[in-house]
Amino acid sequence: QLPMLTQGRYSIEATNDNGCSNLASVVFIPTGISGVLSEQDISIYPNPSNGNIQVACNLPEADYTISVSNIIGKVIYTQKAHIAGPYNTNLNLSAFGAGVYLLSIKGEGSQVVKKLVVY
């Protein structure tokens, strides 16, 4: 197992059972996202609620956008946050009335959407 590498030039030497070896130089450039979000990473409670909800998550370090949209897709709330591990925030959606809403947390190419019911 290789340790987590940072961007840079590395040399790799491989030796077979006969003692023959080969040395190669490689350039490592990390690409992609640092982690993939899943529904298990994010909790919304209480759900259903009277509009005052708590969002709790434990996410890899990155900049995220937390947004809430109504059932027809209109964004009614947006918050940007730099998250690095455990994070909690309180959202008060009571002014938007009863209904079904979609809470989205999006960051670095990954997104989780959860249904939220306000009564």
Side-chain angles (χ1 to χ4, degrees), residues 84-113:
Y87 178 81
N88 293 296
T89 189
N90 186 48
L91 304 180
N92 187 345
L93 304 176
S94 59
F96 299 106
V100 176
Y101 297 91
L102 300 174
L103 181 129
S104 166
I105 297 182
K106 184 176 183 179
E108 294 191 10
S110 191
Q111 179 177 10
V112 170
V113 178

Side-chain angles (χ1 to χ4, degrees), residues 5 9 12 15 18 20 22 24 31 46 50 75 79 84 90 115:
L5 300 175
R9 181 176 298 275
I12 300 171
T15 305
N18 297 326
C20 295
N22 190 15
T31 60
N50 62 3
V75 177
Q79 171 186 328
N90 186 48
K115 183 172 76 168

Side-chain angles (χ1 to χ4, degrees), residues 39 42-56 68 91 93 98-104 113-119:
E39 286 194 34
I42 300 160
S43 297
I44 303 171
Y45 57 91
N47 190 14
S49 95
N50 62 3
N52 191 19
I53 64 164
Q54 185 75 26
V55 178
V68 178
L91 304 180
L93 304 176
V100 176
Y101 297 91
L102 300 174
L103 181 129
S104 166
V113 178
K114 296 190 97 169
K115 183 172 76 168
L116 170 64
V117 177
V118 175
Y119 56 82

Side-chain angles (χ1 to χ4, degrees), residues 4-10 27-31:
M4 267 318 243
L5 300 175
T6 58
Q7 182 171 326
R9 181 176 298 275
Y10 294 87
V27 175
F28 177 74
I29 302 172
T31 60

Side-chain angles (χ1 to χ4, degrees), residues 43-84:
S43 297
I44 303 171
Y45 57 91
N47 190 14
S49 95
N50 62 3
N52 191 19
I53 64 164
Q54 185 75 26
V55 178
C57 54
N58 189 2
L59 302 173
E61 183 172 5
D63 292 320
Y64 294 90
T65 301
I66 301 168
S67 61
V68 178
S69 58
N70 62 19
I71 201 67
I72 60 172
K74 180 181 178 186
V75 177
I76 60 167
Y77 176 87
T78 300
Q79 171 186 328
K80 294 195 180 290
H82 182 82
I83 300 173

